[in-house]
């Protein structure tokens, strides 16, 4: 369902019906309400529309509704209608932050123009808010999570509210999807960032050594233990412990880890003393831990302890619109590392990358970017594992054409650093055509400026 651009509130059903028809004909999606409380239920801080309401309404009048809307977000334009022509009321409304005040009967064309201007102001306010948030994020030290696709926006919307608290997190995603990068991002943007980020791959350490790696040992605890060694858990005190491939952890060790999570204490091998620890656990898995716990292959109580917040990381094939940005980022890194020139992709090359299925996900893309820097465009001609797997057979021709068009515009905007004039020249299209296509694909030139 299309989200409304205008919330119209009036207690007269005839006016509601007439306004609904009028705005619909003007291609302004509208939702109509007979009372203010019903409309207020749709108002959130990220509501992308405006409010048009009558002044005289039973229960809650227009001024009170204006106040309630501004409590949610004072940048949402509220336009108030009245049939009284009360100048003092109009002045009060404007003083309290109304976008405008219109007397009935009103001129239809003037109202439509006013609504469009108010909508434009609202969209600019939301865009400025988004850009400021991006600037704040880019200004932070440490790793960054790149991508503006809906699936990555959902990931970040899950993560951002819990950065400042110490809840354990379970990251679920395919191999190479970026679980390690996301774990580091969470740590570096949390209050624990001044302490250690300690990572261990539970599947890469031999079973007879992983207990010592995690818990540490005293001298003489076992053959070869010549001196005391602090374990990963203790080393991560006041910081973050990242357990990758946690599904590979042996069952006896799962029991000991559960005790650490419950008591916040750790006991080194060969010691009778416990050490207090304050550790945030971020666990990562490519498996379905719930299924494994149901089958008795992973402790259910540990699963629920780790799964306080679960984050599903999308595979690269489900966030293809992020591929040009990610590839460009990896190319810049590789060019700096190898002291080579970074040559941007053209539209055709970017489109070909977006057609791959990327079984190795972001890791595979990063490796290809390095080969591209070292070998040039010839690296892009290498066949993907699986032969014909780089073209998705599930897309219709229209979808593939739309995808190519969007990729071509993104690539040109990237190359032209957001300059509309230069992008027009590169793509050979008129300004209005470019703006129409950018609007169609949800693109803004501000995203591509340096």
């Amino acid at each position: 369902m299309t989200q409304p651009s205008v919330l119209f509130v009036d207690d007269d059903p005839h006016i509601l019906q007439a306004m609904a028809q009028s705005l619909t004909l003007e291609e302004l999606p509208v939702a109509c309400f007979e009372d203010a409380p019903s409309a207020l239920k749709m108002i959130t801080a990220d509501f992308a529309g405006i409010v048009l309401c009558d002044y005289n309404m039973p229960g809650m009048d227009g001024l009170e509704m204006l106040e309630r809307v501004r409590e949610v977000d004072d940048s949402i334009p509220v336009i108030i209608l009245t049939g009284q022509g009360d100048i003092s009321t109009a002045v009060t409304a404007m003083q309290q932050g109304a976008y405008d005040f219109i007397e009935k009967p009103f001129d239809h064309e003037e109202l439509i123009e006013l609504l469009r201007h108010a909508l434009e102001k609202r969209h600019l306010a939301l865009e400025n808010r988004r850009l400021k948030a991006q600037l704040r994020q880019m200004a932070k030290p440490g790793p960054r999570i790149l991508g503006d696709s809906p699936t990555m926006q959902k990931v970040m919307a899950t993560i951002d509210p819990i950065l400042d608290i110490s809840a354990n997190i379970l990251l679920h995603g395919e191999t190479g999807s970026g679980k390690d990068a996301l774990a580091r991002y969470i740590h570096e943007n949390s209050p624990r960032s001044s302490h250690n980020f300690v990572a261990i791959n539970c599947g890469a350490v031999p079973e007879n050594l992983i207990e010592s790696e995690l818990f540490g040992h005293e001298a003489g605890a076992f053959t070869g233990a010549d001196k005391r060694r602090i374990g990963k858990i203790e080393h991560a005190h006041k910081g973050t412990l990242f357990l990758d491939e946690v599904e590979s952890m042996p069952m006896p060790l799962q029991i000991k880890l559960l005790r650490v999570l419950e008591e916040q204490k750790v006991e080194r091998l060969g010691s009778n003393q416990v050490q207090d620890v304050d550790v945030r656990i971020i666990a990562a898995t490519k498996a379905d831990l719930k299924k494994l716990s149901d089958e008795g292959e992973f402790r259910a109580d540990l699963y629920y302890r780790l799964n306080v917040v679960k984050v599903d990381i999308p595979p690269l094939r489900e966030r293809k619109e992020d591929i040009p940005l990610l590839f460009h980022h990896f190319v810049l890194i590789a060019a700096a590392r190898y002291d080579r020139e970074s040559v941007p992709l053209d539209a055709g090359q970017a489109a070909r990358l977006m057609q791959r299925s990327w079984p190795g996900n972001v890791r595979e893309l990063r490796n290809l970017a390095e080969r591209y820097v070292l070998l040039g465009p010839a690296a892009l001609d290498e066949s993907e594992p699986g032969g014909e797997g780089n073209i998705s057979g599930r897309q219709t021709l229209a979808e593939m054409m739309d995808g190519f068009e969007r990729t071509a515009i993104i690539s040109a905007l990237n190359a032209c650093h957001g300059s509309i004039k230069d992008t027009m020249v590169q793509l050979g299209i008129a300004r209005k055509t470019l703006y129409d296509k950018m609007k169609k694909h949800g693109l803004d030139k501000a995203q591509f400026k340096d």
Side-chain angles (χ1 to χ4, degrees):
M1 178 180 177
T2 302
Q3 293 297 313
S5 296
V6 180
L7 299 186
F8 178 53
V9 188
D10 197 302
D11 58 330
D12 187 329
H14 299 293
I15 294 179
L16 283 179
Q17 183 179 9
M19 187 65 78
Q21 293 175 346
S22 176
L23 296 186
T24 301
L25 288 172
E26 295 290 343
E27 297 184 345
L28 289 171
V30 60
C32 295
F33 303 89
E34 293 186 1
D35 60 87
S38 298
L40 285 168
K41 293 177 182 178
M42 293 194 65
I43 302 292
T44 61
D46 58 355
F47 172 61
I50 60 176
V51 176
L52 176 66
C53 68
D54 191 24
Y55 170 67
N56 286 300
M57 295 185 293
M60 183 185 298
D61 65 18
L63 289 183
E64 186 178 353
M65 182 172 187
L66 168 64
E67 181 181 355
R68 296 282 296 276
V69 171
R70 288 178 61 80
E71 287 174 359
V72 177
D73 186 343
D74 60 8
S75 69
I76 297 175
V78 178
I79 301 170
I80 298 179
L81 298 173
T82 182
Q84 294 181 335
D86 189 337
I87 300 301
S88 64
T89 303
V91 172
T92 301
M94 299 302 286
Q95 288 176 339
Q96 293 184 4
Y99 182 80
D100 212 330
F101 192 98
I102 300 181
E103 184 179 354
K104 300 177 184 176
F106 48 81
D107 182 274
H108 175 77
E109 296 298 329
E110 288 183 3
L111 176 62
I112 295 301
E113 184 178 0
L114 179 63
L115 293 177
R116 294 194 189 281
H117 280 305
L119 270 173
E120 183 178 358
K121 180 182 178 182
R122 177 57 177 163
H123 293 162
L124 284 173
L126 289 175
E127 180 65 13
N128 286 337
R129 184 181 302 169
R130 185 183 70 83
L131 291 173
K132 286 179 181 178
Q134 284 185 347
L135 287 172
R136 286 195 299 270
Q137 196 58 60
M138 294 300 286
K140 293 180 180 178
R144 300 182 181 92
I145 303 301
L146 299 178
D148 199 34
S149 61
T151 53
M152 285 308 297
Q153 288 181 1
K154 183 178 179 181
V155 168
M156 300 312 295
T158 303
I159 288 173
D160 285 343
I162 59 172
L163 290 174
D164 293 338
I165 59 177
S166 293
N168 296 328
I169 299 174
L170 179 62
L171 305 180
H172 177 260
E174 296 178 2
T175 299
S177 58
K179 299 186 288 294
D180 176 84
L182 193 56
R184 290 180 183 276
Y185 170 88
I186 293 170
H187 172 77
E188 292 294 343
N189 290 277
S190 76
R192 296 176 175 268
S193 60
S194 59
H195 299 280
N196 292 330
F197 175 84
V198 182
I200 182 171
N201 188 315
C202 300
V205 182
E207 187 171 335
N208 62 330
L209 295 179
I210 189 170
E211 184 175 7
S212 173
E213 282 290 313
L214 279 173
F215 291 88
H217 60 257
E218 297 288 346
F222 51 84
T223 302
D226 299 328
K227 57 183 179 180
R228 172 187 290 178
R229 186 176 187 277
I230 301 298
K232 301 289 188 184
I233 297 175
E234 203 172 338
H235 188 51
H237 179 54
K238 294 188 177 180
T240 303
L241 177 66
F242 176 52
L243 301 175
D244 199 5
E245 296 190 28
V246 70
E247 73 276 8
S248 303
M249 183 177 289
M251 190 67 73
L253 202 56
Q254 293 181 29
I255 300 171
K256 294 193 68 173
L257 178 62
L258 179 64
R259 188 176 301 120
V260 171
L261 294 176
E262 291 176 343
E263 301 175 1
Q264 290 291 293
K265 297 180 184 295
V266 65
E267 184 177 325
R268 303 185 196 116
L269 297 181
S271 173
N272 293 320
Q273 294 183 338
V274 295
Q275 310 292 326
D276 291 328
V277 288
D278 172 14
V279 177
R280 181 190 212 173
I281 304 289
I282 301 179
T285 180
K286 59 180 179 292
D288 184 343
L289 281 193
K290 180 64 170 65
K291 181 180 179 182
L292 292 179
S293 67
D294 291 342
E295 295 172 351
E297 297 182 21
F298 193 88
R299 287 191 64 93
D301 43 9
L302 178 59
Y303 165 72
Y304 289 113
R305 274 288 186 175
L306 296 174
N307 190 32
V308 177
V309 177
K310 184 182 180 186
V311 181
D312 289 303
I313 305 175
L316 193 55
R317 62 182 175 275
E318 293 180 7
R319 46 180 297 215
K320 290 189 173 183
E321 53 266 59
D322 292 335
I323 289 175
L325 174 64
L326 287 168
F327 189 83
H328 180 64
H329 173 71
F330 293 138
V331 164
L332 291 176
I333 293 174
R337 179 185 303 160
Y338 299 118
D339 194 23
R340 295 288 186 91
E341 182 183 2
S342 60
V343 180
L345 296 174
D346 62 33
Q349 292 168 331
R352 284 164 53 202
L353 291 185
M354 291 179 69
Q355 291 302 312
R356 293 194 179 199
S357 60
W358 298 106
N361 292 296
V362 177
R363 185 178 299 150
E364 182 184 354
L365 181 68
R366 183 182 61 209
N367 292 341
L368 180 60
E370 290 199 5
R371 292 199 301 275
Y372 174 75
V373 169
L374 294 172
L375 304 177
L380 303 180
D381 296 330
E382 298 175 8
S383 296
E384 178 183 29
E388 298 178 358
N390 44 335
I391 301 296
S392 172
R394 290 175 292 182
Q395 284 188 308
T396 64
L397 178 60
E399 289 171 338
M400 286 189 283
M401 293 295 289
D402 273 349
F404 179 84
E405 181 178 80
R406 189 177 194 277
T407 303
I409 296 172
I410 289 174
S411 180
L413 285 166
N414 268 324
C416 299
H417 307 290
S419 167
I420 296 297
K421 181 179 178 182
D422 293 343
T423 303
M424 290 163 45
V425 173
Q426 180 164 324
L427 294 177
I429 58 178
R431 180 182 294 270
K432 185 180 185 305
T433 303
L434 177 58
Y435 273 120
D436 287 345
K437 291 185 180 297
M438 288 173 63
K439 182 178 180 181
K440 170 186 173 183
H441 295 296
L443 303 175
D444 190 296
K445 63 181 181 182
Q447 300 171 250
F448 305 92
K449 291 188 178 294
D450 291 335

